[in-house]
Amino acid sequence: MGEPKAVPPDWDGWLTGREARAGPRGRGARGAHGGEVVASYRSPQPPAAEWLHEQPARELCEPGWSESTGQSLTSFGPRQARELHRRLARWRPAYWPLVVSYLVIVVIDGWFADPFAGVLGWPLTMLWTWPIFTTLTGIVGIRRTRKALRKTEARWSGSGLTRSEDFLIVVVPTIGRHDTFPALERSVLSYIAYLPRCFPQLRIDIVIDEGCEAAGQIARLAAGSELIRLVTVPRQYRTANGTRFKARASHYSHELRIREHEDCDDVWVLHMDDDTGVGPDTALAMARFVEEQFQAGRDAKHMAQGILTYPREYAVNRLTWLADSVRPAEDVGRFSAWTGSGTPRAGVHGELLLVRASIEATIGWDFGPRSLVEDAQFALIFSARYKGRSAWFNGRCYGASPASLRDFFRQRERWSWGLAALVFNRSLQLRNRMLLGYSVMSWVVGPIQNVGVVLLLGVLIADPNTSPVTLLIIPLWALNMAYVMWMYWEGLRLNAGVSGAGRRKWWEPMAVILLIPIFGLMESIPGLHGFVKFARRTDHKFMVIAKPS
Protein backbone atom coordinates (compact mmCIF):
# COMPACT_ATOMS: atom_id res chain seq x y z
CA MET A 1 0.00 0.00 0.00
CA GLY A 2 3.01 2.26 0.46
CA GLU A 3 3.70 4.73 3.20
CA PRO A 4 0.50 6.67 3.95
CA LYS A 5 0.56 10.42 4.11
CA ALA A 6 0.11 12.19 7.41
CA VAL A 7 -2.72 14.30 5.99
CA PRO A 8 -5.53 13.35 3.60
CA PRO A 9 -4.21 13.46 0.00
CA ASP A 10 -6.81 15.85 -1.34
CA TRP A 11 -7.42 18.13 1.62
CA ASP A 12 -8.47 21.19 -0.34
CA GLY A 13 -10.96 19.19 -2.37
CA TRP A 14 -12.36 17.66 0.79
CA LEU A 15 -12.84 21.08 2.39
CA THR A 16 -14.66 22.34 -0.70
CA GLY A 17 -16.94 19.31 -0.81
CA ARG A 18 -17.72 19.52 2.88
CA GLU A 19 -18.59 23.20 2.60
CA ALA A 20 -20.99 22.36 -0.19
CA ARG A 21 -22.66 19.61 1.84
CA ALA A 22 -23.05 22.00 4.78
CA GLY A 23 -25.47 24.07 2.72
CA PRO A 24 -26.82 27.22 4.36
CA ARG A 25 -25.02 26.34 7.58
CA GLY A 26 -21.61 26.39 5.90
CA ARG A 27 -18.63 27.18 8.05
CA GLY A 28 -17.33 30.68 8.37
CA ALA A 29 -14.66 32.49 10.31
CA ARG A 30 -16.67 35.41 11.56
CA GLY A 31 -15.83 35.04 15.25
CA ALA A 32 -13.31 33.68 17.71
CA HIS A 33 -13.15 32.65 21.35
CA GLY A 34 -9.81 32.74 23.09
CA GLY A 35 -7.98 33.16 19.81
CA GLU A 36 -9.70 30.12 18.26
CA VAL A 37 -11.86 30.38 15.16
CA VAL A 38 -15.41 29.13 15.71
CA ALA A 39 -18.11 28.08 13.28
CA SER A 40 -20.53 30.85 12.36
CA TYR A 41 -23.65 28.72 12.36
CA ARG A 42 -23.45 27.84 16.05
CA SER A 43 -24.66 31.08 17.56
CA PRO A 44 -28.43 30.69 16.89
CA GLN A 45 -28.38 27.35 18.73
CA PRO A 46 -29.39 27.11 22.38
CA PRO A 47 -26.58 26.86 24.96
CA ALA A 48 -25.54 23.35 25.87
CA ALA A 49 -27.16 23.37 29.32
CA GLU A 50 -30.41 24.74 27.86
CA TRP A 51 -30.35 22.11 25.13
CA LEU A 52 -29.84 19.35 27.67
CA HIS A 53 -32.82 20.25 29.82
CA GLU A 54 -35.01 20.79 26.74
CA GLN A 55 -34.61 17.13 25.78
CA PRO A 56 -37.79 15.08 26.21
CA ALA A 57 -37.86 12.53 28.98
CA ARG A 58 -37.26 9.05 27.57
CA GLU A 59 -37.16 5.57 28.95
CA LEU A 60 -33.39 5.22 28.74
CA CYS A 61 -30.59 3.84 30.83
CA GLU A 62 -27.77 6.29 30.14
CA PRO A 63 -25.93 7.28 32.14
CA GLY A 64 -27.70 5.62 35.04
CA TRP A 65 -30.34 7.63 36.85
CA SER A 66 -32.14 4.73 38.45
CA GLU A 67 -33.28 5.03 42.02
CA SER A 68 -32.11 1.52 42.79
CA THR A 69 -29.32 -0.68 41.52
CA GLY A 70 -31.70 -3.28 40.17
CA GLN A 71 -33.52 -0.87 37.87
CA SER A 72 -31.97 -0.71 34.39
CA LEU A 73 -34.35 1.53 32.44
CA THR A 74 -34.95 4.98 33.82
CA SER A 75 -36.38 8.30 32.78
CA PHE A 76 -33.77 10.86 31.74
CA GLY A 77 -35.72 14.02 32.46
CA PRO A 78 -34.94 17.76 32.49
CA ARG A 79 -33.83 17.93 36.12
CA GLN A 80 -31.40 15.04 35.77
CA ALA A 81 -30.06 16.44 32.50
CA ARG A 82 -29.33 19.83 34.05
CA GLU A 83 -27.66 18.21 37.04
CA LEU A 84 -25.53 15.95 34.83
CA HIS A 85 -24.38 18.87 32.70
CA ARG A 86 -23.51 20.99 35.75
CA ARG A 87 -21.64 18.15 37.37
CA LEU A 88 -19.56 17.21 34.33
CA ALA A 89 -18.83 20.82 33.35
CA ARG A 90 -17.23 21.66 36.69
CA TRP A 91 -15.11 18.50 36.96
CA ARG A 92 -11.32 18.79 36.91
CA PRO A 93 -8.81 16.14 37.98
CA ALA A 94 -7.64 17.23 41.42
CA TYR A 95 -4.01 17.59 42.45
CA TRP A 96 -4.55 17.69 46.21
CA PRO A 97 -5.08 13.94 46.77
CA LEU A 98 -1.73 13.30 45.09
CA VAL A 99 0.08 15.99 47.08
CA VAL A 100 -1.44 15.05 50.45
CA SER A 101 -0.78 11.34 49.90
CA TYR A 102 2.80 12.04 48.90
CA LEU A 103 3.56 14.14 51.97
CA VAL A 104 1.98 11.62 54.34
CA ILE A 105 3.86 8.67 52.80
CA VAL A 106 7.20 10.52 52.79
CA VAL A 107 6.83 11.33 56.50
CA ILE A 108 5.79 7.78 57.43
CA ASP A 109 8.51 6.11 55.35
CA GLY A 110 11.16 8.51 56.61
CA TRP A 111 10.12 7.87 60.21
CA PHE A 112 10.17 4.06 60.04
CA ALA A 113 12.99 3.51 57.54
CA ASP A 114 16.23 2.02 58.85
CA PRO A 115 19.53 3.58 57.77
CA PHE A 116 20.75 0.15 56.63
CA ALA A 117 18.96 -2.20 54.23
CA GLY A 118 18.11 -5.79 55.07
CA VAL A 119 17.94 -8.88 52.89
CA LEU A 120 15.08 -7.37 50.88
CA GLY A 121 16.88 -4.06 50.38
CA TRP A 122 18.15 -4.47 46.83
CA PRO A 123 15.09 -6.33 45.43
CA LEU A 124 12.70 -3.76 46.89
CA THR A 125 14.84 -0.84 45.73
CA MET A 126 14.39 -2.09 42.17
CA LEU A 127 10.79 -3.34 42.38
CA TRP A 128 9.25 -0.38 44.18
CA THR A 129 11.17 2.16 42.08
CA TRP A 130 10.42 0.45 38.76
CA PRO A 131 7.01 2.14 38.05
CA ILE A 132 8.42 5.68 38.36
CA PHE A 133 8.23 6.37 34.60
CA THR A 134 4.54 5.39 34.55
CA THR A 135 3.95 7.62 37.58
CA LEU A 136 5.64 10.64 35.99
CA THR A 137 3.74 10.04 32.75
CA GLY A 138 0.46 9.95 34.67
CA ILE A 139 1.25 13.23 36.42
CA VAL A 140 2.01 14.82 33.04
CA GLY A 141 -1.36 13.48 31.89
CA ILE A 142 -3.17 15.13 34.80
CA ARG A 143 -1.65 18.47 33.83
CA ARG A 144 -2.48 17.91 30.16
CA THR A 145 -6.08 17.02 30.99
CA ARG A 146 -6.57 20.16 33.07
CA LYS A 147 -5.03 22.26 30.30
CA ALA A 148 -7.24 20.62 27.65
CA LEU A 149 -10.36 21.29 29.75
CA ARG A 150 -9.44 24.97 30.15
CA LYS A 151 -8.80 25.29 26.42
CA THR A 152 -12.08 23.61 25.51
CA GLU A 153 -14.02 25.78 27.95
CA ALA A 154 -12.47 28.94 26.50
CA ARG A 155 -13.07 27.88 22.92
CA TRP A 156 -16.69 26.85 23.31
CA SER A 157 -17.82 29.19 26.10
CA GLY A 158 -21.23 30.60 25.28
CA SER A 159 -21.61 28.32 22.26
CA GLY A 160 -24.75 26.39 21.66
CA LEU A 161 -25.39 22.90 20.42
CA THR A 162 -22.71 21.85 17.94
CA ARG A 163 -23.77 19.90 14.88
CA SER A 164 -21.23 18.19 12.67
CA GLU A 165 -21.83 17.69 8.95
CA ASP A 166 -19.40 14.77 8.87
CA PHE A 167 -20.81 11.26 8.62
CA LEU A 168 -20.54 9.27 11.87
CA ILE A 169 -20.63 5.48 11.75
CA VAL A 170 -20.91 3.69 15.10
CA VAL A 171 -19.48 0.16 14.89
CA VAL A 172 -20.58 -2.28 17.60
CA PRO A 173 -19.23 -5.83 17.25
CA THR A 174 -20.97 -8.34 19.51
CA ILE A 175 -20.65 -12.04 20.14
CA GLY A 176 -24.45 -12.15 20.06
CA ARG A 177 -25.16 -14.33 23.08
CA HIS A 178 -28.40 -14.16 25.02
CA ASP A 179 -26.56 -13.06 28.18
CA THR A 180 -24.87 -10.15 26.38
CA PHE A 181 -27.99 -8.90 24.57
CA PRO A 182 -29.48 -6.77 27.40
CA ALA A 183 -26.30 -4.69 27.65
CA LEU A 184 -26.16 -4.40 23.85
CA GLU A 185 -29.75 -3.16 23.75
CA ARG A 186 -29.04 -0.60 26.48
CA SER A 187 -26.03 0.70 24.58
CA VAL A 188 -27.68 0.87 21.16
CA LEU A 189 -30.69 2.74 22.56
CA SER A 190 -28.31 5.34 23.98
CA TYR A 191 -26.73 5.90 20.53
CA ILE A 192 -30.16 6.46 19.01
CA ALA A 193 -31.18 8.81 21.80
CA TYR A 194 -28.15 11.09 21.99
CA LEU A 195 -26.07 11.03 18.82
CA PRO A 196 -28.50 12.23 16.07
CA ARG A 197 -28.86 15.73 17.52
CA CYS A 198 -25.13 16.41 17.07
CA PHE A 199 -24.59 14.12 14.07
CA PRO A 200 -27.48 14.41 11.58
CA GLN A 201 -25.61 12.01 9.30
CA LEU A 202 -25.44 8.89 11.44
CA ARG A 203 -25.51 5.13 11.07
CA ILE A 204 -25.13 2.40 13.70
CA ASP A 205 -23.62 -0.87 12.47
CA ILE A 206 -24.20 -3.85 14.75
CA VAL A 207 -21.75 -6.55 13.65
CA ILE A 208 -22.58 -10.19 14.44
CA ASP A 209 -21.35 -13.60 13.33
CA GLU A 210 -23.65 -15.69 11.17
CA GLY A 211 -25.64 -18.08 13.32
CA CYS A 212 -25.03 -16.40 16.70
CA GLU A 213 -27.55 -17.47 19.32
CA ALA A 214 -29.21 -14.06 19.82
CA ALA A 215 -29.44 -13.24 16.11
CA GLY A 216 -33.24 -13.01 16.23
CA GLN A 217 -33.30 -10.59 19.14
CA ILE A 218 -30.61 -8.43 17.56
CA ALA A 219 -32.45 -8.41 14.23
CA ARG A 220 -35.59 -7.15 15.97
CA LEU A 221 -33.55 -4.47 17.72
CA ALA A 222 -32.09 -3.37 14.38
CA ALA A 223 -35.51 -3.28 12.76
CA GLY A 224 -36.69 -0.80 15.37
CA SER A 225 -34.74 2.14 13.90
CA GLU A 226 -33.76 3.24 10.43
CA LEU A 227 -30.43 4.36 11.89
CA ILE A 228 -29.35 0.77 12.59
CA ARG A 229 -27.80 -1.58 10.06
CA LEU A 230 -27.22 -5.22 10.94
CA VAL A 231 -23.95 -6.51 9.49
CA THR A 232 -23.59 -10.31 9.50
CA VAL A 233 -20.13 -11.82 9.10
CA PRO A 234 -20.42 -15.03 6.99
CA ARG A 235 -19.14 -18.25 8.54
CA GLN A 236 -16.77 -18.81 5.64
CA TYR A 237 -15.21 -15.35 5.89
CA ARG A 238 -11.45 -15.39 6.44
CA THR A 239 -9.09 -12.45 6.60
CA ALA A 240 -5.79 -12.52 4.71
CA ASN A 241 -3.85 -13.00 7.97
CA GLY A 242 -6.31 -15.36 9.65
CA THR A 243 -7.48 -12.91 12.30
CA ARG A 244 -10.03 -14.28 14.77
CA PHE A 245 -12.52 -13.09 17.35
CA LYS A 246 -13.57 -9.44 17.63
CA ALA A 247 -10.84 -8.19 15.27
CA ARG A 248 -12.20 -10.47 12.53
CA ALA A 249 -15.64 -8.85 12.83
CA SER A 250 -14.11 -5.37 12.91
CA HIS A 251 -12.07 -6.09 9.79
CA TYR A 252 -15.10 -7.43 7.93
CA SER A 253 -17.06 -4.23 8.62
CA HIS A 254 -13.93 -2.24 7.71
CA GLU A 255 -13.71 -3.97 4.31
CA LEU A 256 -17.43 -3.40 3.82
CA ARG A 257 -17.00 0.35 4.33
CA ILE A 258 -14.20 0.41 1.78
CA ARG A 259 -16.35 -1.43 -0.78
CA GLU A 260 -19.11 1.10 -0.19
CA HIS A 261 -16.65 4.01 -0.67
CA GLU A 262 -17.05 5.24 2.90
CA ASP A 263 -13.29 5.42 3.51
CA CYS A 264 -13.41 9.20 3.18
CA ASP A 265 -11.87 12.07 5.10
CA ASP A 266 -15.27 13.40 6.22
CA VAL A 267 -16.40 10.03 7.60
CA TRP A 268 -15.63 9.15 11.22
CA VAL A 269 -15.90 5.67 12.72
CA LEU A 270 -16.79 5.39 16.41
CA HIS A 271 -15.79 2.00 17.81
CA MET A 272 -17.84 0.88 20.81
CA ASP A 273 -18.08 -2.28 22.90
CA ASP A 274 -21.47 -3.95 23.07
CA ASP A 275 -21.89 -3.07 26.76
CA THR A 276 -20.86 0.59 26.57
CA GLY A 277 -23.29 3.42 25.90
CA VAL A 278 -23.10 7.17 25.48
CA GLY A 279 -24.76 10.22 26.98
CA PRO A 280 -25.52 13.77 25.81
CA ASP A 281 -22.05 14.85 26.94
CA THR A 282 -20.49 12.22 24.66
CA ALA A 283 -22.27 13.47 21.55
CA LEU A 284 -21.46 17.11 22.24
CA ALA A 285 -17.78 16.45 22.97
CA MET A 286 -17.33 14.37 19.81
CA ALA A 287 -19.10 16.91 17.59
CA ARG A 288 -16.92 19.70 18.93
CA PHE A 289 -13.80 17.61 18.40
CA VAL A 290 -14.76 16.92 14.78
CA GLU A 291 -15.49 20.61 14.18
CA GLU A 292 -12.14 21.55 15.68
CA GLN A 293 -10.43 19.23 13.18
CA PHE A 294 -12.32 20.90 10.34
CA GLN A 295 -11.07 24.27 11.52
CA ALA A 296 -7.53 22.92 11.97
CA GLY A 297 -7.18 22.15 8.26
CA ARG A 298 -3.88 20.45 7.51
CA ASP A 299 -3.02 20.20 11.22
CA ALA A 300 -6.13 18.13 11.95
CA LYS A 301 -6.06 15.02 14.12
CA HIS A 302 -7.16 11.64 12.82
CA MET A 303 -7.99 9.75 16.01
CA ALA A 304 -9.29 10.58 19.49
CA GLN A 305 -10.49 8.98 22.67
CA GLY A 306 -12.33 10.11 25.76
CA ILE A 307 -13.04 8.68 29.22
CA LEU A 308 -14.46 5.25 30.05
CA THR A 309 -16.62 5.43 33.18
CA TYR A 310 -18.73 3.00 35.18
CA PRO A 311 -22.03 4.20 36.68
CA ARG A 312 -22.76 2.61 40.04
CA GLU A 313 -26.17 1.48 38.81
CA TYR A 314 -24.58 -1.00 36.40
CA ALA A 315 -22.48 -2.62 39.15
CA VAL A 316 -23.65 -6.06 40.18
CA ASN A 317 -20.48 -6.61 42.19
CA ARG A 318 -19.46 -3.64 44.34
CA LEU A 319 -15.89 -4.92 44.81
CA THR A 320 -15.15 -5.09 41.07
CA TRP A 321 -16.80 -1.68 40.63
CA LEU A 322 -14.48 -0.14 43.20
CA ALA A 323 -11.51 -1.94 41.64
CA ASP A 324 -12.40 -0.48 38.24
CA SER A 325 -11.95 3.02 39.65
CA VAL A 326 -8.46 2.77 38.22
CA ARG A 327 -9.67 2.71 34.61
CA PRO A 328 -11.19 6.21 34.20
CA ALA A 329 -8.23 7.57 36.16
CA GLU A 330 -5.88 6.00 33.61
CA ASP A 331 -7.79 7.84 30.86
CA VAL A 332 -7.22 11.25 32.46
CA GLY A 333 -3.65 10.37 33.47
CA ARG A 334 -1.43 8.10 31.42
CA PHE A 335 -3.63 7.78 28.33
CA SER A 336 -4.23 11.51 28.25
CA ALA A 337 -0.46 12.05 28.33
CA TRP A 338 0.21 9.78 25.35
CA THR A 339 -2.94 9.95 23.21
CA GLY A 340 -3.44 13.62 24.04
CA SER A 341 0.11 14.44 22.98
CA GLY A 342 -0.57 13.01 19.52
CA THR A 343 1.06 9.58 19.71
CA PRO A 344 -0.92 6.84 21.52
CA ARG A 345 2.04 4.66 22.51
CA ALA A 346 0.28 3.54 25.70
CA GLY A 347 -2.48 2.06 23.54
CA VAL A 348 -6.20 2.80 23.47
CA HIS A 349 -9.29 0.97 24.66
CA GLY A 350 -11.86 -0.44 22.30
CA GLU A 351 -14.72 1.84 23.32
CA LEU A 352 -15.17 5.54 22.56
CA LEU A 353 -12.42 5.23 19.93
CA LEU A 354 -13.06 7.80 17.18
CA VAL A 355 -11.05 7.31 13.96
CA ARG A 356 -11.16 9.05 10.60
CA ALA A 357 -12.34 6.45 8.07
CA SER A 358 -9.71 7.31 5.46
CA ILE A 359 -6.94 6.74 8.01
CA GLU A 360 -8.46 3.53 9.36
CA ALA A 361 -8.52 2.24 5.79
CA THR A 362 -4.71 2.31 5.73
CA ILE A 363 -4.41 0.18 8.88
CA GLY A 364 -7.42 -2.12 9.15
CA TRP A 365 -7.85 -4.77 11.83
CA ASP A 366 -6.29 -7.85 10.23
CA PHE A 367 -3.55 -8.46 12.81
CA GLY A 368 -3.37 -12.26 12.71
CA PRO A 369 -4.75 -15.19 14.74
CA ARG A 370 -2.83 -14.34 17.95
CA SER A 371 -4.29 -10.85 18.28
CA LEU A 372 -6.33 -10.46 21.48
CA VAL A 373 -5.88 -6.72 22.08
CA GLU A 374 -6.47 -5.36 18.61
CA ASP A 375 -7.18 -1.86 19.93
CA ALA A 376 -3.68 -1.59 21.43
CA GLN A 377 -2.10 -2.95 18.24
CA PHE A 378 -4.04 -0.45 16.14
CA ALA A 379 -2.75 2.35 18.38
CA LEU A 380 0.89 1.26 18.04
CA ILE A 381 0.64 1.10 14.24
CA PHE A 382 -1.05 4.50 14.24
CA SER A 383 1.77 5.87 16.42
CA ALA A 384 4.38 4.77 13.90
CA ARG A 385 2.55 6.09 10.83
CA TYR A 386 0.79 9.23 12.03
CA LYS A 387 2.92 10.86 14.70
CA GLY A 388 1.22 13.76 16.45
CA ARG A 389 -2.21 13.02 14.95
CA SER A 390 -4.17 11.67 17.93
CA ALA A 391 -6.08 13.65 20.57
CA TRP A 392 -7.97 13.37 23.85
CA PHE A 393 -11.44 14.86 24.40
CA ASN A 394 -13.61 15.39 27.46
CA GLY A 395 -16.44 13.05 26.60
CA ARG A 396 -17.48 9.97 28.55
CA CYS A 397 -18.84 6.59 27.66
CA TYR A 398 -20.76 4.49 30.16
CA GLY A 399 -19.87 0.86 30.72
CA ALA A 400 -20.26 -1.87 33.31
CA SER A 401 -17.68 -3.57 35.50
CA PRO A 402 -17.36 -7.38 35.43
CA ALA A 403 -20.18 -9.04 37.32
CA SER A 404 -17.93 -11.40 39.29
CA LEU A 405 -14.35 -11.81 40.45
CA ARG A 406 -13.99 -14.73 38.05
CA ASP A 407 -14.95 -12.52 35.11
CA PHE A 408 -12.65 -9.77 36.39
CA PHE A 409 -9.72 -12.20 36.46
CA ARG A 410 -10.51 -13.59 33.00
CA GLN A 411 -10.67 -10.08 31.55
CA ARG A 412 -7.30 -9.04 32.98
CA GLU A 413 -5.68 -12.34 32.00
CA ARG A 414 -6.71 -11.87 28.37
CA TRP A 415 -5.30 -8.34 28.35
CA SER A 416 -1.99 -9.54 29.79
CA TRP A 417 -1.67 -12.38 27.27
CA GLY A 418 -2.49 -10.06 24.37
CA LEU A 419 -0.15 -7.25 25.45
CA ALA A 420 2.71 -9.71 25.99
CA ALA A 421 2.20 -10.94 22.44
CA LEU A 422 2.52 -7.36 21.18
CA VAL A 423 5.80 -6.89 23.06
CA PHE A 424 7.33 -9.73 21.04
CA ASN A 425 5.66 -8.81 17.74
CA ARG A 426 8.57 -7.80 15.51
CA SER A 427 6.28 -6.23 12.92
CA LEU A 428 5.75 -3.33 15.36
CA GLN A 429 8.15 -0.46 15.89
CA LEU A 430 10.82 -1.35 18.46
CA ARG A 431 10.50 1.93 20.38
CA ASN A 432 6.79 1.37 20.90
CA ARG A 433 7.34 -2.24 21.95
CA MET A 434 9.95 -1.19 24.51
CA LEU A 435 7.49 1.15 26.20
CA LEU A 436 4.82 -1.54 26.14
CA GLY A 437 7.32 -4.07 27.52
CA TYR A 438 8.07 -1.73 30.41
CA SER A 439 4.36 -1.51 31.24
CA VAL A 440 3.81 -5.27 30.93
CA MET A 441 6.79 -5.96 33.19
CA SER A 442 5.34 -3.59 35.80
CA TRP A 443 2.13 -5.60 35.64
CA VAL A 444 3.75 -9.04 35.70
CA VAL A 445 5.90 -8.37 38.79
CA GLY A 446 2.89 -6.88 40.57
CA PRO A 447 2.36 -9.82 42.97
CA ILE A 448 5.86 -9.49 44.44
CA GLN A 449 5.55 -5.68 44.56
CA ASN A 450 2.43 -5.91 46.71
CA VAL A 451 3.08 -4.50 50.16
CA GLY A 452 1.13 -7.30 51.85
CA VAL A 453 3.14 -9.98 50.06
CA VAL A 454 6.41 -8.18 50.91
CA LEU A 455 5.54 -7.92 54.61
CA LEU A 456 4.54 -11.60 54.72
CA LEU A 457 7.79 -12.56 53.04
CA GLY A 458 9.75 -10.47 55.56
CA VAL A 459 8.10 -12.35 58.42
CA LEU A 460 8.83 -15.73 56.80
CA ILE A 461 12.54 -14.97 56.38
CA ALA A 462 12.76 -13.34 59.82
CA ASP A 463 13.92 -10.02 58.34
CA PRO A 464 11.01 -7.55 58.13
CA ASN A 465 13.33 -4.65 57.19
CA THR A 466 11.93 -3.12 53.98
CA SER A 467 14.27 -0.11 53.79
CA PRO A 468 15.94 0.68 50.45
CA VAL A 469 19.69 0.57 49.88
CA THR A 470 19.69 4.36 50.16
CA LEU A 471 17.16 6.63 51.82
CA LEU A 472 17.30 8.89 48.76
CA ILE A 473 14.98 6.37 47.07
CA ILE A 474 12.14 7.02 49.52
CA PRO A 475 10.77 10.11 47.70
CA LEU A 476 10.42 8.00 44.54
CA TRP A 477 8.65 5.23 46.44
CA ALA A 478 6.33 7.78 47.99
CA LEU A 479 5.51 9.30 44.60
CA ASN A 480 4.69 5.90 43.10
CA MET A 481 2.39 5.00 45.98
CA ALA A 482 0.79 8.45 46.07
CA TYR A 483 -0.04 8.20 42.36
CA VAL A 484 -1.68 4.81 42.88
CA MET A 485 -3.78 6.29 45.67
CA TRP A 486 -4.67 9.25 43.43
CA MET A 487 -5.86 6.91 40.65
CA TYR A 488 -8.32 5.08 42.88
CA TRP A 489 -9.46 8.27 44.59
CA GLU A 490 -10.00 10.24 41.36
CA GLY A 491 -11.38 7.25 39.47
CA LEU A 492 -13.99 6.68 42.16
CA ARG A 493 -14.89 10.35 41.93
CA LEU A 494 -15.35 10.03 38.16
CA ASN A 495 -17.49 6.90 38.40
CA ALA A 496 -19.62 8.33 41.21
CA GLY A 497 -20.04 11.55 39.23
CA VAL A 498 -21.82 9.75 36.38
CA SER A 499 -23.97 7.70 38.77
CA GLY A 500 -27.47 8.53 39.88
CA ALA A 501 -26.66 10.30 43.14
CA GLY A 502 -23.75 12.13 41.55
CA ARG A 503 -21.48 11.72 44.56
CA ARG A 504 -19.50 9.14 46.47
CA LYS A 505 -21.13 7.41 49.42
CA TRP A 506 -19.55 8.26 52.74
CA TRP A 507 -17.71 4.95 53.08
CA GLU A 508 -16.48 4.55 49.51
CA PRO A 509 -13.40 6.85 49.55
CA MET A 510 -12.11 5.19 52.70
CA ALA A 511 -12.85 1.72 51.36
CA VAL A 512 -11.18 2.28 47.99
CA ILE A 513 -7.95 3.46 49.69
CA LEU A 514 -7.86 0.67 52.28
CA LEU A 515 -8.52 -1.96 49.61
CA ILE A 516 -5.63 -0.90 47.35
CA PRO A 517 -3.47 -3.92 48.42
CA ILE A 518 -6.41 -6.22 47.54
CA PHE A 519 -6.96 -4.44 44.23
CA GLY A 520 -3.25 -4.79 43.51
CA LEU A 521 -3.52 -8.56 43.83
CA MET A 522 -6.72 -8.61 41.77
CA GLU A 523 -4.87 -6.85 38.96
CA SER A 524 -1.46 -8.51 39.19
CA ILE A 525 -2.30 -12.20 39.75
CA PRO A 526 -4.26 -12.59 36.50
CA GLY A 527 -1.65 -10.40 34.79
CA LEU A 528 1.10 -12.80 35.83
CA HIS A 529 -1.03 -15.81 34.92
CA GLY A 530 -1.72 -14.41 31.46
CA PHE A 531 1.97 -13.75 30.88
CA VAL A 532 2.90 -17.29 31.96
CA LYS A 533 0.31 -18.74 29.58
CA PHE A 534 1.78 -16.64 26.79
CA ALA A 535 5.35 -17.75 27.66
CA ARG A 536 4.19 -21.38 27.58
CA ARG A 537 2.63 -20.72 24.16
CA THR A 538 -0.78 -21.69 25.45
CA ASP A 539 -3.46 -20.75 22.91
CA HIS A 540 -5.71 -18.16 24.49
CA LYS A 541 -9.34 -17.81 23.52
CA PHE A 542 -11.11 -14.46 23.35
CA MET A 543 -13.35 -14.84 26.38
CA VAL A 544 -16.33 -12.48 26.28
CA ILE A 545 -17.76 -11.89 29.74
CA ALA A 546 -21.38 -10.95 30.28
CA LYS A 547 -21.90 -7.41 31.56
CA PRO A 548 -24.84 -6.12 33.62
CA SER A 549 -27.57 -4.36 31.68
Side-chain angles (χ1 to χ4, degrees), residues 33-238:
H33 288 281
E36 300 286 346
V37 178
V38 298
S40 62
Y41 72 86
R42 292 199 311 265
S43 44
Q45 302 296 336
E50 181 181 344
W51 165 64
L52 284 173
H53 74 68
E54 284 179 353
Q55 298 305 295
R58 301 168 184 243
E59 287 299 311
L60 296 172
C61 46
E62 300 296 337
W65 289 103
S66 57
E67 295 299 326
S68 64
T69 303
Q71 184 180 355
S72 60
L73 293 180
T74 179
S75 177
F76 187 82
R79 180 181 61 81
Q80 293 93 338
R82 287 194 299 272
E83 170 61 21
L84 175 68
H85 175 75
R86 181 185 62 83
R87 178 190 312 163
L88 300 185
R90 70 185 182 186
W91 172 81
R92 299 288 185 277
Y95 280 125
W96 73 262
L98 178 67
V99 174
V100 170
S101 300
Y102 176 75
L103 294 176
V104 170
I105 295 170
V106 164
V107 170
I108 293 176
D109 284 355
W111 182 268
F112 287 102
D114 292 331
F116 302 102
V119 175
L120 298 176
W122 272 109
L124 289 182
T125 297
M126 298 178 63
L127 287 172
W128 283 357
T129 309
W130 179 264
I132 189 62
F133 181 72
T134 298
T135 296
L136 294 176
T137 303
I139 294 172
V140 170
I142 298 171
R143 180 179 179 275
R144 181 176 289 277
T145 296
R146 291 175 64 93
K147 182 179 178 180
L149 292 174
R150 289 196 301 269
K151 184 177 179 181
T152 299
E153 184 177 9
R155 181 185 181 105
W156 296 99
S157 177
S159 301
L161 170 66
T162 304
R163 288 191 177 95
S164 173
E165 296 299 328
D166 284 9
F167 185 24
L168 179 66
I169 302 174
V170 184
V171 178
V172 195
T174 178
I175 195 171
R177 295 195 314 239
H178 291 308
D179 62 340
T180 62
F181 176 77
L184 171 68
E185 182 181 37
R186 162 177 61 80
S187 302
V188 170
L189 288 178
S190 75
Y191 311 147
I192 296 172
Y194 299 125
L195 294 179
R197 189 74 186 269
C198 294
F199 291 93
Q201 299 186 72
L202 171 71
R203 190 180 74 233
I204 302 161
D205 285 354
I206 304 177
V207 187
I208 64 172
D209 285 326
E210 182 181 1
C212 68
E213 65 180 45
Q217 290 176 285
I218 297 173
R220 286 190 290 274
L221 174 63
S225 173
E226 60 182 10
L227 296 176
I228 304 175
R229 179 174 73 166
L230 185 60
V231 177
T232 302
V233 183
R235 286 192 183 92
Q236 67 273 16
Y237 172 72
R238 299 291 183 273

Side-chain angles (χ1 to χ4, degrees), residues 390-465:
S390 68
W392 180 94
F393 64 89
N394 183 34
R396 293 157 178 78
C397 61
Y398 303 92
S401 296
S404 67
L405 277 175
R406 181 171 179 267
D407 284 347
F408 187 96
F409 277 42
R410 289 163 64 187
Q411 182 188 66
R412 266 52 175 185
E413 181 183 299
R414 173 172 64 82
W415 292 348
S416 176
W417 195 106
L419 292 174
L422 290 188
V423 173
F424 294 94
N425 186 338
R426 294 185 179 180
S427 69
L428 300 174
Q429 195 176 62
L430 178 60
R431 179 172 55 180
N432 293 336
R433 288 192 287 127
M434 289 178 63
L435 174 65
L436 186 62
Y438 170 85
S439 300
V440 170
M441 181 58 67
S442 301
W443 194 358
V444 169
V445 301
I448 57 176
Q449 285 179 328
N450 188 278
V451 63
V453 173
V454 169
L455 293 176
L456 177 61
L457 180 60
V459 171
L460 293 177
I461 65 175
D463 187 359
N465 184 358

Side-chain angles (χ1 to χ4, degrees), residues 504-521:
R504 292 165 289 188
K505 297 183 178 180
W506 68 268
W507 57 270
E508 288 175 344
M510 179 170 41
V512 81
I513 296 300
L514 294 177
L515 287 172
I516 285 178
I518 304 298
F519 297 152
L521 292 176

Side-chain angles (χ1 to χ4, degrees), residues 63 87 91 307-313 320-329 396-399 401 487-504 508:
R87 178 190 312 163
W91 172 81
I307 309 171
L308 171 61
T309 60
Y310 298 96
R312 186 186 289 107
E313 286 73 17
T320 60
W321 180 73
L322 289 172
D324 265 338
S325 297
V326 73
R327 296 191 67 188
R396 293 157 178 78
C397 61
Y398 303 92
S401 296
M487 284 197 297
Y488 282 99
W489 181 279
E490 189 66 36
L492 175 65
R493 181 175 164 228
L494 277 160
N495 286 339
V498 299
S499 301
R503 62 179 64 89
R504 292 165 289 188
E508 288 175 344

